[in-house]
Structure formats: C-alpha cells, structure tokens
Amino acid sequence: MEPVTLTTERLVLRPFRPSDADAVFAACQDPDIQRWTTVPSPYERAHAERAHAEDFTARICPENWRADVTYDFAVVTKSDGVLVGAMGLVRLAHLRTPEHQAELGYWTAREHRRRGYTDEAARAVIEWAFTRLGVERLEWCSEAGNEGSRAVALGLGFRMEGTDRARIVHQGTRRDAWRGALLPSDWGLPSTTPYLPSKATEAPEAPAGHAPRPSTV
C-alpha cells in the first residue's frame, strides 16, 4: 500500500527516510534495543551496521510498504522532528485474509522513554489498524522477560494470552515469547466478522479514555 502519515498531539508518525539513518544508528547503540529486538548486535560501525541503518531507512522500509510486508513508522516529535522511536505493523500475511490479523511492534530511544511517547504513538497506529485497515485481531509478542514492552501492551488494553515455547530465535538460541491480543471490541469499536467467545472467556469492557482517532495525510 501507499505509505501514510499519522499525527497525535505531540508526534508525527511518518515513513522512514534516508535522512533518518544517523538517528536510527544512534538509537540502536542502546543495549536494551539490541537485547530485545532484531537489530544486529553489536551495532557498530566496524560491523557495517551503519550500512544496515542506511539500507533499512532507504530501501527496506519503502519496499515493505509497497509489498505489504510491514508498515514501519518513524516516530518523531511534532515540535522539532526528533526521532524518538519506531512503531509498526508486522506479520501482515493474514491482514487481507478472513483472519484480518496483524502484530504491533515498537522500540523507543532510551533518552525518550517514560514520557508517554510509545503509548501515544501506539494508540494512533492501533486506531488506524482497526478503523482503516479492518484489523480484527491485533497481536503483541515479545521475548519472555521484556517487562517494559509488556507494560506498554497492558496499558494499551492488550490481554495476555500465554507463553509460546521456543517461538523466538535470538542470537542463535530459541527463546520463549509472551503473547497478547487486542480486539476492536476491547476499544469499543465494531468488527465486520462476528465474534463468538468460548464459555470460559468473558469479553472485557473497553478501557476508558482511549486516545481520539488520529488524522491521516
């Protein structure tokens, strides 16, 4: 699909540009991003990861949008355009099948954490996914132990559904993964496909005060 831009009160979520390579490279020096995401580790100039950042922003992201592989957003401040993180929809193989499913992924630069940016950006992407793309089940998945990512997901209303054994391969080792899901009904939004919960499942009430629908340009 053609890339879109989302806006929130403080942020602009736009497609990555080649000019973002330096900021991406700097952010990915953070050991936590290397530990919990798929970026190369170590992420150093001597290992050509500077070229990786350039390739990611200039080629990989645009191609993934066009091919409906992933929809990656650079999250920048509205006031001065500083890159604070990345947010995107991944695992889109079932987006346009009867499952209408996708997965939310994100990272935030260390110096911009604990300011509510991740939550704010995620709410914009979730609203867009539910209301514009027709997503009917949005998953979150992270290696077990990633408490920061899990806290963000819980704050967004994701319901934790369990631990998947050996789901993630990280640095040559299989790791367990936490998995959660968010449905449009969790946010008080409709779905095209009716949902019949099992008797053991109680539909939760929509969390109060979720962010207003973002604008698209």
Side-chain angles (χ1 to χ4, degrees):
M1 70 176 293
E2 287 297 316
V4 302
T5 296
L6 309 175
T7 60
T8 69
E9 181 180 355
R10 299 180 295 168
L11 302 170
V12 176
L13 286 71
R14 57 161 176 78
F16 277 95
R17 304 167 180 166
S19 58
D20 295 320
D22 285 339
V24 170
F25 180 82
C28 291
Q29 301 306 304
D30 176 19
D32 286 337
I33 290 180
Q34 296 180 27
R35 171 65 183 86
W36 299 111
T37 74
T38 58
V39 304
S41 179
Y43 206 83
E44 300 173 353
R45 295 180 188 273
H47 292 81
E49 270 66 42
R50 181 63 177 78
H52 176 276
E54 293 173 348
D55 195 42
F56 174 76
T57 57
R59 182 186 63 83
I60 294 175
C61 287
E63 288 184 357
N64 285 347
W65 273 95
R66 286 193 295 269
D68 297 317
V69 175
T70 63
Y71 301 149
D72 289 307
F73 293 95
V75 181
V76 302
T77 55
K78 187 182 290 186
S79 59
D80 52 14
V82 171
L83 182 78
V84 302
M87 183 77 55
L89 296 180
V90 302
R91 304 187 190 279
L92 301 179
H94 295 293
L95 176 60
R96 291 176 174 83
T97 66
E99 287 76 16
H100 299 300
Q101 186 170 301
E103 182 180 315
L104 182 70
Y106 44 83
W107 57 258
T108 304
R110 177 183 291 275
E111 63 271 22
H112 297 295
R113 292 172 193 159
R114 297 178 178 84
R115 301 183 186 183
Y117 288 148
T118 311
D119 181 272
E120 186 174 329
R123 288 180 181 276
V125 173
I126 291 168
E127 189 88 12
W128 175 66
F130 284 159
T131 63
R132 304 297 180 90
L133 299 182
V135 170
E136 295 186 351
R137 175 181 164 88
L138 185 62
E139 292 193 340
W140 164 87
C141 179
S142 182
E143 184 180 329
N146 190 348
E147 296 286 355
S149 183
R150 185 176 185 271
V152 170
L154 288 170
L156 294 166
F158 280 82
R159 297 183 67 182
M160 296 298 114
E161 296 183 337
T163 300
D164 296 341
R165 296 186 302 156
R167 173 167 174 166
I168 294 175
V169 177
H170 184 71
Q171 297 182 355
T173 303
R174 287 198 170 274
R175 317 287 181 102
D176 293 343
W178 288 334
R179 171 177 38 81
L182 185 70
L183 307 181
S185 59
D186 296 332
W187 273 28
L189 296 171
S191 294
T192 300
T193 308
Y195 170 42
L196 180 63
S198 68
K199 293 182 179 180
T201 304
E202 293 184 1
E205 295 182 358
H210 73 268
R213 180 176 304 176
S215 61
T216 59
V217 297

